[in-house]
Amino acid sequence: MRDETRMNSAGPGDRLIRAGAIVFFAGALATLVTVAPLLLGTTPFPTYMFGLSMLMAVGFVLAGAGVLRSAAAGRRQARAAGQASR
């Protein structure tokens, strides 16, 4: 079984998980940048900057969709292997 699977092959959902992580961390950075002036007592950023903080939620949803897609593919693969062994 080990020789059939390539270690660097991207499975279903892997790209969604990576994209979700990137978007999540961009949102986290935007959140830090947006909240910092409030904590430092300087002039706050415009309201639309707070919308960039929602990228964290978008990234979380993207990564979650990738995990679900990967799990569904694993179930399909296991089901096919179970039927083939009968």
Side-chain angles (χ1 to χ4, degrees), residues 5-81:
T5 305
R6 292 185 8 210
M7 295 302 287
N8 61 354
S9 63
D14 285 352
R15 287 184 181 162
L16 274 175
I17 294 171
R18 287 185 186 131
I22 291 169
V23 171
F24 180 85
F25 286 119
L29 181 65
T31 300
L32 289 174
V33 168
T34 304
V35 173
L38 300 175
L39 297 175
L40 298 174
T42 60
T43 306
F45 286 108
T47 307
Y48 69 87
M49 288 294 289
F50 290 97
L52 288 177
S53 299
M54 293 306 295
L55 286 176
M56 286 176 62
V58 172
F60 189 76
V61 168
L62 278 173
V67 168
L68 290 176
R69 185 173 179 194
S70 178
R75 277 195 312 264
R76 280 192 301 270
Q77 186 178 13
R79 206 174 288 144

